[in-house]
Every structure is written in C-alpha cells, then in structure tokens.
Amino acid sequence: MASARDQLDRMSYRLIVMGACVLFLAVVLVKVFPTPAPEDPGASHGDGWAFLHAFEVLGVISFLASILHSVRNHGARHTYLLFPALFLYAFIFEDVNIQLSGVYEYNESAWMIVHNTMLVIPLGWCAIVYCMLELTSRVPGFSKMKAFNAAFIIATLALTIDLGIDATAFAYGFWTWNEGWFFGVPLMNYVGWFIVVFLFIMGLKLVEGKDRDTLGEFGWMYSVVIGALIAQIFLFVIFLGILYLAGVV
Amino acid sequence: MRIMKMFDEHWPHLFIVGVHIYFLAVAVFIERYDLLLIGIAAFMISVLMIGYFTGPHCSGGRVKNHDGDERP
C-alpha cells in the first residue's frame, strides 16, 4: 500500500502537469489574441493614484495580518525566524534586480519607497509565501514530501496569483516594464516569480529537521536566504551564458 | 472568539481571494475588460489549483485544521 508521502509525490506530478498545461494554454492564447500594452503606462487615471495607495495600505495590512496569524498558530519563535528572513530575501532580490536588470521600475508616486523598491512588494512577498506555506502545511504528509516537489508546488501556486495581477498592475501603472510579452509583461517576470519562491522554499525544506546546534535557528534561516540569493545569481549567470551563446547579447 | 477562529482558519484563503478581487476591481476601473477576463481566468486557475491540492481530493480525504486536528 502506497504511503501518504508517495501518494502526495504522485499527486505533485499531476499538479506539475496541470501547471505546464496552464502555461502552455497561456502561451497559445497570447499568440492567438492581440495583447496590447497600455498607451501611456506612466499616466494617472484621474484618481490621483488612489488604487496605488490603497494597494500599499492593504499590502501592509496583509503583512501584519500574516504575522498575527503566524504568531497565533505557529508561535512567536517561528514568526521571528521566518518573516525577517523572508522580508530580507524579497527586498534584496527586488532591489538588486531593479538595479541590475533595469527592465522595470516602480511608480515614483508610491508613498513607501525604500531605495528603488516599493516597500509593499517585499511585504506582499512575505504574505504570499506565508499563505502558501500555511495552506500546504494543512495537507497531511506535506512536510515529508521531497523538497523539490514541495518547492515546485508552492512556487506554482504562487505563480497562479501573479498570472492575473501583473498585467493589470502594469496597465494601471503600479510599475512599468520596458518591454513586454503578455499584456506588456515580460516572460522573465513570471519565470522570476517562480524561481524566487522555488529557491526559498527549496532551501527551507532542505534545512528542515536538520541538526541546528552549530548555526542555531537564526543561522539556518539566514543560510537559506544567502543560499537562495547565491543560487539566483548562479541561475542568472547561466541564463546570460545561454543568451551569449545564442548570440542575443 | 468566533472571528479570530475564522481568521485562523481562513486567512490564507481570504488573502488570495482578496488579491484577485482587488486587481479585478482595478481592471474594471481602468476599463480594460480584456484584463478583467484574464484576471477572472487566473482567479479560477488559482482557486482550482489550490483547492485541488489542499482539498480532500488530493490529501486522501484528510485535511488538517489550523490546530492540527484532521477533519474529513
């Protein structure tokens, strides 16, 4: 009789196939239907950027609510470990990415901008990743699932959120892309979303249950952050290498 | 308290649904009905995939409450 873990792993492959089918369908739809970018993405819509500011306020509220939820259900220690590390990871990724890639920038009318990054973006990342972790933790046996599968599932679920919101956010003017593929949003944005979540969850799952005497809980958590950031740089270099070999850059 | 119990149970769902509904409202506001359709499709995909994986179908008929108890 198959164990719960085997059953979950089998299910995860089905989910991976479902995700691949959805992405394939999205690509087909993009090719079939015209996908216009906004005529002037930097222009306000006559509302004084009310939706942008509401987005910031709601993002902070969501972040605080996620912290409250985490403290109530997983304890203060778990919260102190997870949220600062996750915030740092998301913030460094966003800020460095804006500096290095230069393909997008946030709306300067936003209330909360730190360096080049809208503060609500890393806060939103924290809420999204926490909610996905929370949802999947309710599935019996999920904690014993292979790290790769668990990370793939959570990253896929997180990606489904971005599919609908990024094009609308760009059209309104939350942020602007220099070049686009899906309603003005480049494919690399979706790939980036997946990779960011995937690497962090993969790191979390790999260190879960390990002996933490040498580094301590905080040491393990920040080793996940540093490891995931290094892995991103590694993937970025590989990606650039492929583009170089293909003669694109 | 009942509200806090509901919060513990449903906050992740509420957050995800809230994000989608917010951006659907933005699409309506800027009169981009093509994006509204895309948003609705993404909303359905998101709910279906999360429901599929975290629901009883995928977990062998067992789903845990936030306090760790399993419920059918």
Side-chain angles (χ1 to χ4, degrees):
Chain A
M1 186 177 167
S3 67
R5 176 180 166 167
D6 292 339
Q7 188 185 359
L8 268 173
D9 281 331
R10 205 164 50 245
M11 287 294 188
S12 70
Y13 292 128
R14 288 186 198 171
L15 199 76
I16 290 168
V17 172
M18 281 171 67
C21 290
V22 168
L23 291 177
F24 177 73
L25 189 64
V27 172
V28 170
L29 285 174
V30 166
K31 295 298 174 193
V32 170
F33 294 102
T35 58
E39 291 174 3
D40 187 3
S44 169
H45 298 272
D47 63 337
W49 297 113
F51 274 97
L52 172 69
H53 300 316
F55 175 67
E56 293 185 271
V57 172
L58 291 172
V60 173
I61 291 173
S62 300
F63 175 73
L64 295 176
S66 296
I67 287 182
L68 176 66
H69 190 276
S70 177
V71 170
R72 283 175 58 84
N73 294 287
H74 303 287
R77 185 170 180 76
H78 173 88
T79 309
Y80 293 149
L81 277 171
L82 180 65
F83 277 85
L86 193 48
F87 175 81
L88 191 69
Y89 173 68
F91 183 81
I92 291 175
F93 167 76
E94 282 290 338
D95 210 52
V96 172
N97 201 19
I98 287 176
Q99 291 275 21
L100 291 184
S101 70
V103 295
Y104 70 104
E105 57 187 31
Y106 291 111
N107 191 323
E108 291 179 353
S109 301
W111 282 338
M112 295 175 285
I113 293 183
V114 178
H115 203 216
N116 298 307
T117 306
M118 261 171 75
L119 193 61
V120 72
I121 300 299
L123 297 182
W125 275 110
C126 293
I128 288 173
V129 172
Y130 172 73
C131 286
M132 290 305 164
L133 279 169
E134 171 64 20
L135 279 176
T136 49
S137 73
R138 296 179 185 183
V139 179
F142 190 84
S143 59
K144 294 174 185 162
M145 185 184 268
K146 290 173 190 165
F148 183 89
N149 288 351
F152 197 101
I153 285 170
I154 293 178
T156 307
L157 294 178
L159 184 61
T160 60
I161 294 179
D162 188 46
L163 279 178
I165 70 173
D166 221 304
T168 307
F170 171 56
Y172 179 83
F174 286 56
W175 46 81
T176 50
W177 293 98
N178 292 344
E179 54 186 47
W181 168 76
F182 180 68
F183 288 91
V185 182
L187 176 64
M188 278 311 292
N189 169 65
Y190 298 107
V191 177
W193 257 74
F194 182 87
I195 288 175
V196 167
V197 181
F198 178 85
L199 290 177
F200 188 82
I201 302 297
M202 184 90 172
L204 267 187
K205 293 287 172 189
L206 285 176
V207 303
E208 228 172 40
K210 295 279 190 302
D211 177 18
R212 302 181 182 191
D213 287 346
T214 47
L215 284 171
E217 295 278 359
F218 280 94
W220 275 109
M221 188 55 84
Y222 287 98
S223 66
V224 169
V225 172
I226 294 166
L229 287 170
I230 290 172
Q232 278 183 28
I233 294 169
F234 184 66
L235 286 175
F236 182 69
V237 170
I238 290 178
F239 180 69
L240 275 183
I242 291 171
L243 289 180
Y244 179 76
L245 290 175
V248 178
V249 293
Chain B
M1 287 191 302
R2 186 173 173 168
I3 289 180
M4 292 314 287
K5 192 170 169 60
M6 283 178 69
F7 171 73
D8 289 343
E9 194 74 36
H10 296 298
W11 165 245
H13 305 98
L14 187 68
F15 173 72
I16 292 163
V17 170
V19 168
H20 281 291
I21 289 177
Y22 182 79
F23 280 93
L24 291 180
V26 174
V28 171
F29 176 74
I30 59 176
E31 298 178 347
R32 285 291 299 270
Y33 299 107
D34 49 350
L35 293 176
L36 180 68
L37 284 177
I38 294 290
I40 291 171
F43 189 10
M44 289 171 65
I45 290 167
S46 182
V47 169
L48 281 174
M49 289 184 79
I50 290 169
Y52 173 79
F53 190 71
T54 62
H57 174 70
C58 195
S59 55
R62 295 167 299 137
V63 179
K64 282 193 288 188
N65 287 324
H66 66 277
D67 52 5
D69 297 334
E70 287 188 6
R71 57 182 162 81

